[in-house]
Amino acid sequence: MFACHRVSEEKKAPLATLSFQGNVMYWWTALERERSLHKDPPITYWNDLRGALRRRHITPYYNRKSMDKLQGLLKKI
């Protein structure tokens, strides 16, 4: 979607957070507040936002399963 609309790197994270709802919106608000309290810079780039989302919302089981699939594909090559 970002490529289709030619969204710049600086606008990707703010645009993505506009669609947050429910628990993800609570998490995002708390994360922004926590970063501010620790004087950490705000998340402004898509890769940083994506990493934070994955650390919080993707279970270790899903990560392991994805890596197992990747390993299986690599063995076939």
Side-chain angles (χ1 to χ4, degrees):
M1 187 150 174
F2 291 145
C4 178
H5 293 286
R6 296 185 184 138
V7 176
S8 68
E9 284 299 317
E10 294 81 24
K11 293 182 181 177
K12 287 180 181 179
L15 281 174
T17 60
L18 288 175
S19 66
F20 288 174
Q21 297 176 0
N23 289 337
V24 177
M25 178 51 98
Y26 294 125
W27 164 80
W28 175 246
T29 304
L31 180 63
E32 284 186 311
R33 189 174 344 133
E34 181 181 324
R35 291 179 69 85
S36 176
L37 289 172
H38 291 100
K39 298 191 187 328
D40 293 334
I43 293 176
T44 55
Y45 290 99
W46 172 244
N47 286 338
D48 297 334
L49 175 59
R50 189 175 62 186
L53 282 165
R54 284 186 175 165
R55 281 189 299 278
R56 174 61 175 102
H57 294 286
I58 296 181
T59 64
Y61 169 78
Y62 181 81
N63 283 334
R64 259 193 324 276
K65 189 135 176 107
S66 295
M67 283 304 285
D68 290 345
K69 285 181 181 180
L70 178 61
Q71 293 291 334
L73 291 173
L74 291 173
K75 288 177 184 176
K76 291 180 181 180
I77 295 179

